[in-house]
Amino acid sequence: MEHRIKYLVGAVCLLVGLLPAKVWAQVRVGVGRDTPALTETNDLLNYANPKEYEIAGLSVTGTRYLDPNSLVSLGGLKVGDKIRIPGEAIGSSVRKLMESGLLDNVELFSTNVADNKVTLMFKVLERPRLYRVSFMGIKKGEQDNLKDKVKLNLGKIVTNTIIKNTQMATRKYFIDKGYLNTKVKITTIPDSTRNNATMRVLVDKGQKVKIAKINLEGIEEVDESAVRMKMKGTKEQRFGRVFTPSKFVPKKYEEDKQKLIEYYNKLGYRDATIESDSVINNGGNSNTITINMKVNEGHQYYYRKIDFSGNYLYTSDQLRSVLGVTKGDVYNPEDLDKRLNGNPGQDLSSQYMDLGYLYYNAQPIERAIEGDSIDLEIRIFEGKQATINKVILNGNTKTSDHVVMRTIRTLPGQKFSKTNLIRTQRELSTLGYFDPEKIGINPVPQNDGTVDIEYTVEEKPSDQIELSGGWGGYVGFVGTLGLTFNNFSARNITNMKAWRPLPAGDGQRVQLRFQANGSQYQVYSLSFTEPWLGGRKPNALSVSASHTVYKTFYDPTNPASIYQSLKGRQPTGSYTNTAVTIGLGRQLKVPDDYFSLSNSLSFQRYNLNNLDLFYIGYKDGISNNITFNTTLSRNSIDNPQFPRAGSSFTLSGSFTPPYSAWRKTTLSEKPEDKYKFVEYHKWMFDASWFQTVFGKLVLSTRAHLGFLGSYNNRTSIGPFERFVLGGSGLAGQGQFALAQDIIGLRGYDDRSVYTADYDRAVDAQARSQGGVVYNKFVAELRYPVSLNPSATIFVLTFLEAGNNWGSYKQYNPFDLKRSVGFGARIFMPAFGLIGIDYGYGFDKIPGVKDKASGQFHFTIGQQIR
């Protein structure tokens, strides 16, 4: 007789005893069509006498996307297993399937029972998969940001965990923005036909919760204003507060409490704690809170005695000298850690690690605390010296290995050196081929006592294109096209496979530049630099050539002619300059290897044709300029795009042959004869310092001085190589053809800053001719907006002062024209550095009717001065 008894009460009772409520509510046990009816004496439901069965078969039905065989394995049962029914094995199998989170429902059937063998079938209902997520109640921009934060993958199975995590992540996103009372409700809308579901996230963020009052209790030994200042992310509501809003963000509040304790610790209050704090909702419709905080400052502690143990290489007195902490100094654990492990080349660890003691360790132990004094024992573990076994380089997909390896200062066979590791990181950064923020160094100790050094770099675009243009008034369109290849490979020029689009990877530099100002002005230039001539030492060879053409179309009998079209007109005057320079530089070892010395020899030929550029009656003639330049420099800047530490000093001297020593000149000598061979000596000094103030804020200070002189009193200083000061520092229309040094001074007009004899007005001709001595001083505060190598952006504010004098008689280094302002810089690898500044000049300039006022300045390229 066929019996079919489904969802028997007895079977449910069985599972109630074996499964938790969450599971058994979703499980049903059935009996197959061909099995005998279950009675109280039937072995399947005999609780008093469970019987052992062998599983003859296992199957899963109801799946659409999941693999049935995988679900069988997930349940933990397999054919051939012997289980007791009733028993824990059945309940455990169902629990595993439900706890997987893949299923919405599980039903368990026995389809056949015969000869102590049982066939089981799981009937399952799969959970829906995520098809779409829609955020409601918020702006589109907030929706886009949330999608990035929550990161829900479409097609993923919708589980309670995913719903809860989405709810928590959404709420946290708005709480971190000051919306403390954010409410999030999530509903899922299933589509049974496709087993999909749409997740609808309804957000009620409410209003921002702001801090009405911060009550501090227990602040006695430390200035309360300093304590409040340390809580940078937790500020009271106050009129005019813009840059540090008073919204309450729990995460920042917890961070600020930690910073507050760290501040006390730095001042020697090692026991400082926050005894209690509370955040009180002020209620009503104010959406404000009050923070009450009670601080226990404790005692201020000082160093009394510092001993060393375990040190054999250095004496305790030598280590104390390096540590720099003496009796009576305020106890500061953070500063102590920096002195032990933080300043490469100056800390205690460098003393050991620079000699190869890679496994060195120093552990400060407070041996005694009496009153306000602390006795410290620094336990030293020196270990053994480690020799570098291998140097491994990863990530240089474009730059050749030998270009990177010649920069690395940790070579196989050398003793391990911490200072050399840090210096290598700096050198790789200054190459300009890699992202400075992603240069990784990983020392890997080996079992034989050696160490492998693994360097990881990430290539960034280093080639640049300069493309700019504008309208040049009566001379027409002004355009510049420049191409700079900073990682060129000359040896692969004949290898067509290496042209992508040009051969690259050997660290050479090629620069081409063309500038045109209509038919009036053109400049063509080409330069090549090999930084490692011969490939063994950093001896840099540079070769450059340029040609300049400048024409005038001005008709002195008809001044209005300067505004007429140039089409078909013949120039009234012209000027050409052809220049060739060859230079050789090398890195020095003394005083240290940050120093370098370079020498160059250049020849320039000026040709004037009916053009008095210098306003001295020199209209026709040829001048030859043969110059020897020597430059001594020291550069320890850590990052060329956004320096945060280091300095740069440059002292250069340029000398022409002293022709006046063997040739006689007279007052009646014609200018074309007097200046046939240019004669002068010129000195330039440039210095830059970079220092991190706190966080990412960097102070940059600069000083620039220039002096132009003659060899004796019998010859005056000529019109060549003079200084022009003012404005953005970019050359004016055709004017930098005069071989002048163009120097910026923000807040003043281009080429306007000039001081001559005070007893006469300074005419435009004297001002345009330039000065013989200048001084300039700059202080900038810089803050990075983005350090991404594809677009490094920082903002700045500056104080600037400088002046330019037409004679040494009037030179006064304290008579400076001052300005103040702000600006921004963006560095893009393809275009270089682009900047805009607003400067306001305070001082009147002799010969200028009105004093300078606020004005904008636009700059292109890295400004040296």
Side-chain angles (χ1 to χ4, degrees):
M1 185 179 67
E2 294 184 354
H3 298 278
R4 188 169 185 266
I5 305 175
K6 192 175 183 181
Y7 314 135
L8 293 177
V9 175
V12 173
C13 293
L14 167 65
L15 292 177
V16 169
L18 297 178
L19 302 178
K22 180 179 178 181
V23 177
W24 70 256
Q26 297 172 307
V27 179
R28 290 180 285 183
V29 177
V31 182
R33 180 183 302 272
D34 298 325
T35 57
L38 297 180
T39 64
E40 292 184 2
T41 60
N42 190 289
D43 291 336
L44 279 177
L45 298 178
N46 191 344
Y47 310 113
N49 185 25
K51 187 176 179 181
E52 186 175 76
Y53 292 88
E54 180 182 342
I55 300 177
L58 282 170
S59 61
V60 176
T61 64
T63 58
R64 298 183 63 182
Y65 301 98
L66 300 175
D67 179 28
N69 294 327
S70 299
L71 289 179
V72 170
S73 299
L74 189 62
L77 298 177
K78 59 182 181 293
V79 175
D81 285 351
K82 293 183 178 181
I83 59 174
R84 287 183 176 272
I85 301 178
E88 172 61 22
I90 296 294
S92 175
S93 178
V94 174
R95 278 198 302 270
K96 289 178 181 178
L97 289 173
M98 289 301 299
E99 290 172 355
S100 69
L102 302 174
L103 305 171
D104 230 3
N105 192 51
V106 176
E107 296 178 312
L108 177 61
F109 293 87
S110 64
T111 60
N112 187 40
V113 179
D115 299 330
N116 294 326
K117 293 184 178 182
V118 62
T119 301
L120 300 177
M121 179 183 69
F122 293 98
K123 185 177 181 181
V124 300
L125 177 63
E126 296 181 1
R127 285 185 179 271
R129 296 177 179 269
L130 187 62
Y131 174 68
R132 183 187 295 115
V133 180
S134 61
F135 292 92
M136 305 177 65
I138 55 177
K139 299 177 182 177
K140 185 179 184 306
E142 293 173 328
Q143 294 180 26
D144 295 338
N145 292 335
L146 266 176
K147 289 177 182 178
D148 293 336
K149 287 284 185 182
V150 176
K151 295 180 180 178
L152 288 171
N153 297 322
L154 299 182
K156 197 172 184 179
I157 294 175
V158 181
T159 64
N160 292 333
T161 301
I162 288 178
I163 294 174
K164 190 66 176 177
N165 289 343
T166 302
Q167 187 178 36
M168 292 173 60
T170 303
R171 190 168 186 273
K172 181 180 182 300
Y173 173 79
F174 285 103
I175 288 177
D176 288 345
K177 291 187 175 297
Y179 297 94
L180 191 63
N181 299 321
T182 299
K183 298 177 181 178
V184 180
K185 182 179 180 181
I186 297 180
T187 56
T188 56
I189 304 172
D191 181 357
S192 58
T193 60
R194 293 182 295 179
N195 200 36
N196 287 332
T198 297
M199 182 183 291
R200 183 172 295 171
V201 184
L202 179 61
V203 181
D204 179 10
K205 63 182 182 181
Q207 295 182 346
K208 285 186 178 180
V209 175
K210 298 194 174 184
I211 304 170
K213 186 71 175 176
I214 301 177
N215 298 316
L216 298 177
E217 183 182 350
I219 309 294
E220 298 177 356
E221 302 297 330
V222 179
D223 185 18
E224 184 174 323
S225 62
V227 173
R228 292 180 181 271
M229 189 176 297
K230 292 299 174 183
M231 300 175 66
K232 300 183 183 299
T234 309
K235 298 291 185 182
E236 287 183 352
Q237 194 173 13
R238 188 181 68 192
F239 176 77
R241 190 183 294 280
V242 177
F243 297 105
T244 53
S246 57
K247 63 184 179 182
F248 178 73
V249 179
K251 180 180 178 181
K252 290 186 177 181
Y253 176 54
E254 293 300 323
E255 292 174 353
D256 285 341
K257 289 195 294 183
Q258 183 62 34
K259 290 177 182 177
L260 181 59
I261 298 302
E262 291 173 357
Y263 174 64
Y264 268 99
N265 293 158
K266 291 179 184 178
L267 299 178
Y269 296 91
R270 67 183 290 277
D271 300 329
T273 59
I274 297 177
E275 284 190 349
S276 63
D277 70 293
S278 59
V279 178
I280 301 174
N281 193 329
N282 293 332
N285 297 321
S286 63
N287 287 305
T288 62
I289 61 167
T290 298
I291 297 177
N292 297 319
M293 185 182 299
K294 184 177 181 180
V295 179
N296 185 346
E297 296 177 324
H299 297 290
Q300 189 175 28
Y301 290 88
Y302 303 87
Y303 292 104
R304 183 174 65 179
K305 188 178 181 182
I306 300 178
D307 293 324
F308 293 86
S309 62
N311 53 305
Y312 301 99
L313 186 63
Y314 295 103
T315 66
S316 295
D317 289 338
Q318 288 175 321
L319 295 179
R320 288 191 192 94
S321 177
V322 174
L323 192 65
V325 176
T326 59
K327 181 180 179 180
D329 288 348
V330 172
Y331 180 69
N332 184 345
E334 181 178 321
D335 177 68
L336 178 65
D337 184 66
K338 289 181 179 179
R339 293 173 182 270
L340 290 174
N341 304 299
N343 299 313
Q346 302 176 8
D347 61 340
L348 208 62
S349 67
S350 296
Q351 301 299 310
Y352 282 94
M353 290 189 177
D354 286 352
L355 296 179
Y357 291 89
L358 173 61
Y359 307 101
Y360 150 88
N361 182 38
Q363 185 69 33
I365 304 296
E366 297 175 357
R367 290 187 56 188
I369 301 176
E370 297 181 7
D372 63 354
S373 299
I374 293 180
D375 291 343
L376 204 66
E377 178 186 357
I378 300 178
R379 298 175 182 175
I380 303 290
F381 174 75
E382 295 179 343
K384 296 181 179 180
Q385 285 180 300
T387 302
I388 298 174
N389 178 41
K390 290 189 300 184
V391 175
I392 305 168
L393 179 62
N394 297 317
N396 56 315
T397 56
K398 177 181 178 181
T399 306
S400 301
D401 285 351
H402 73 273
V403 173
V404 184
M405 295 302 294
R406 70 193 184 189
T407 305
I408 291 175
R409 292 171 176 258
T410 54
L411 302 178
Q414 293 180 344
K415 296 296 183 183
F416 176 85
S417 171
K418 176 182 176 180
T419 299
N420 285 344
L421 276 182
I422 303 301
R423 181 64 184 277
T424 298
Q425 187 177 33
R426 182 256 176 193
E427 296 297 329
L428 291 175
S429 174
T430 56
L431 283 176
Y433 312 145
F434 310 115
D435 182 356
E437 307 297 323
K438 296 182 180 179
I439 296 176
I441 303 176
N442 182 30
V444 183
Q446 303 299 305
N447 295 330
D448 59 359
T450 61
V451 59
D452 293 344
I453 310 295
E454 182 178 3
Y455 293 96
T456 303
V457 298
E458 183 175 308
E459 297 267 9
K460 70 171 187 176
S462 58
D463 298 331
Q464 298 175 9
I465 180 171
E466 179 187 350
L467 184 62
S468 60
W471 189 256
Y474 74 97
V475 294
F477 182 77
V478 181
T480 301
L481 174 62
L483 298 173
T484 302
F485 304 99
N486 287 307
N487 197 0
F488 188 72
S489 175
R491 66 186 176 92
N492 285 321
I493 289 180
T494 58
N495 181 9
M496 300 309 296
K497 294 182 179 180
W499 286 66
R500 298 188 301 269
L502 289 175
D506 283 345
Q508 297 155 348
R509 179 177 181 177
V510 174
Q511 188 174 32
L512 303 93
R513 197 168 188 268
F514 168 69
Q515 186 172 42
N517 192 349
S519 58
Q520 183 190 34
Y521 179 73
Q522 300 94 36
V523 176
Y524 313 86
S525 64
L526 171 66
S527 66
F528 172 80
T529 302
E530 167 55 76
W532 283 68
L533 183 62
R536 294 183 176 272
K537 294 182 179 180
N539 297 327
L541 172 68
S542 61
V543 180
S544 64
S546 66
H547 182 67
T548 303
V549 178
Y550 176 54
K551 301 175 184 178
T552 59
F553 296 83
Y554 174 67
D555 183 358
T557 63
N558 181 14
S561 66
I562 63 176
Y563 300 105
Q564 298 174 1
S565 171
L566 301 180
K567 186 176 181 180
R569 292 176 58 88
Q570 295 298 317
T572 58
S574 65
Y575 160 91
T576 60
N577 175 18
T578 302
V580 178
T581 302
I582 183 169
L584 184 63
R586 62 189 179 94
Q587 190 177 55
L588 302 179
K589 298 295 184 182
V590 179
D592 60 42
D593 57 6
Y594 287 111
F595 278 87
S596 63
L597 178 66
S598 62
N599 299 295
S600 65
L601 185 65
S602 65
F603 171 75
Q604 295 187 70
R605 186 179 180 88
Y606 309 95
N607 190 341
L608 294 173
N609 180 17
N610 194 33
L611 181 62
D612 188 8
L613 282 179
F614 303 111
Y615 304 103
I616 58 174
Y618 182 22
K619 297 174 61 177
D620 295 280
I622 296 176
S623 296
N624 301 283
N625 186 353
I626 302 173
T627 309
F628 173 76
N629 176 275
T630 183
T631 300
L632 178 66
S633 62
R634 185 183 189 275
N635 188 338
S636 61
I637 291 175
D638 62 337
N639 185 335
Q641 272 74 56
F642 185 75
R644 287 174 251 190
S647 60
S648 174
F649 299 91
T650 301
L651 176 63
S652 67
S654 300
F655 312 94
T656 66
Y659 302 107
S660 60
W662 59 78
R663 64 182 295 268
K664 295 181 179 180
T665 61
T666 62
L667 295 176
S668 61
E669 188 174 19
K670 295 180 179 180
E672 55 266 30
D673 296 328
K674 183 178 181 180
Y675 298 117
K676 185 175 183 179
F677 291 95
V678 179
E679 177 181 333
Y680 63 84
H681 61 88
K682 186 176 183 179
W683 302 86
M684 304 290 286
F685 176 76
D686 301 287
S688 301
W689 297 266
F690 298 91
Q691 177 65 50
T692 300
V693 180
F694 59 82
K696 297 180 180 180
L697 188 65
V698 175
L699 173 65
S700 168
T701 55
R702 307 197 302 273
H704 308 281
L705 297 86
F707 304 90
L708 181 67
S710 59
Y711 288 109
N712 53 63
N713 295 330
R714 293 183 288 106
T715 57
S716 61
I717 302 174
F720 298 92
E721 297 296 326
R722 289 183 173 238
F723 307 109
V724 177
L725 185 65
S728 62
L730 295 178
Q733 173 184 295
Q735 296 297 324
F736 58 101
L738 304 181
Q740 295 173 324
D741 271 309
I742 311 295
I743 299 140
L745 188 64
R746 292 167 286 189
Y748 298 89
D749 293 332
D750 288 346
R751 311 174 63 88
S752 67
V753 182
Y754 182 80
T755 301
D757 296 332
Y758 290 106
D759 56 357
R760 67 178 178 86
V762 180
D763 57 31
Q765 293 180 353
R767 189 182 309 281
S768 181
Q769 183 178 354
V772 298
V773 56
Y774 91 95
N775 292 169
K776 177 183 173 181
F777 305 95
V778 183
E780 287 183 352
L781 280 173
R782 301 176 169 185
Y783 187 83
V785 177
S786 169
L787 294 177
N788 191 316
S790 62
T792 301
I793 305 172
F794 63 90
V795 294
L796 60 89
T797 180
F798 66 85
L799 297 172
E800 200 161 84
N803 205 349
N804 185 26
W805 294 269
S807 68
Y808 283 95
K809 180 181 178 181
Q810 300 299 329
Y811 175 53
N812 180 1
F814 301 102
D815 176 23
L816 302 175
K817 311 306 176 186
R818 302 159 299 167
S819 66
V820 64
F822 57 88
R825 298 288 184 273
I826 176 170
F827 178 86
M828 293 183 291
F831 298 98
L833 190 67
I834 301 173
I836 186 170
D837 297 291
Y838 177 82
Y840 183 88
F842 293 103
D843 300 304
K844 180 177 174 60
I845 300 172
V848 178
K849 184 177 180 180
D850 299 319
K851 74 173 185 177
S853 59
Q855 54 186 283
F856 285 95
H857 302 284
F858 180 73
T859 59
I860 300 176
Q862 188 76 44
Q863 300 291 91
I864 299 176
R865 302 180 178 94

